[in-house]
Amino acid sequence: MGLFKNLKATHFFWTISNEFIHLLTIAGLICAVDQMVKSAIDTEPESNFPREMPHTKGYVKIMRAHNPGFSRGHLGKYPELVKTLSVAAVGFLAGGLQYLTNYYPGKYKLRKLGMAIVIGGALSNVLDRIVNGKVTDYMNIRVSGLKSLIVNIGDIAIYVGGIIYTIAALFGEE
């Protein structure tokens, strides 16, 4: 009897729901699109940068920058720490998403979607850190205080997913 005491606590790791698979598919698509754009940016000649993104009236420029740290280069002097913390964060979020989909099926849909979007963006940046030792950023959004910020689709997904999750949590979405 004591052997199976902890079975219920670890059961959610072995059961994969359709909801979890669908959310991971969203995360995977975000990651794949960002990786494709990063690959295209990294293979272009330096002379192509910077340039205006078409149809943005100058508000978005395409650039190429490589960041060994977190957002805005935080902890860039410690790339191994950044890599380790990034992998741990994605693993923690994926475990949390797995928990929510197994123990609360059909509930907290916006929170789960927000988590999946964050996972997709974070996973893309983690892949860059693991493969290249740094993250490729390529969009300079030229509005207000963002003029010095260069981001990628993964970064935007992290911000948007976090906002969706926070709004859903604050307003009691179920």
Side-chain angles (χ1 to χ4, degrees), residues 2 5-6 9 12 27 33 39 42 89 142 146 157:
K5 183 177 173 183
N6 292 327
F12 78 92
V33 167
S39 177
D42 280 338
R142 310 207 29 91
L146 300 177

Side-chain angles (χ1 to χ4, degrees), residues 16 27 34 39 73 91 106-107 112 115 124 141 147-148 150-151 162:
I16 306 292
D34 192 35
S39 177
K107 286 182 146 187
K112 293 173 192 174
M115 284 179 79
S124 179
I141 302 168
K147 290 182 181 180
S148 66
I150 302 172
V151 297

Side-chain angles (χ1 to χ4, degrees), residues 148-169:
S148 66
L149 188 63
I150 302 172
V151 297
N152 57 48
I153 291 171
D155 296 335
I156 293 169
I158 292 168
Y159 298 136
V160 169
I163 290 167
I164 291 170
Y165 182 92
T166 302
I167 289 171

Side-chain angles (χ1 to χ4, degrees), residues 98-111:
Q98 169 68 343
Y99 176 83
L100 285 176
T101 56
N102 269 338
Y103 285 100
Y104 300 98
K107 286 182 146 187
Y108 308 116
K109 290 180 181 181
L110 281 178
R111 291 184 204 191

Side-chain angles (χ1 to χ4, degrees), residues 50 61-67 70-73 135-142 146-153 155-156 159:
K61 287 194 176 195
I62 303 298
M63 306 178 93
R64 178 170 54 206
H66 294 100
N67 182 358
F70 290 118
S71 180
R72 294 190 173 256
V135 174
T136 299
D137 293 322
Y138 48 83
M139 279 190 291
N140 177 227
I141 302 168
R142 310 207 29 91
L146 300 177
K147 290 182 181 180
S148 66
L149 188 63
I150 302 172
V151 297
N152 57 48
I153 291 171
D155 296 335
I156 293 169
Y159 298 136

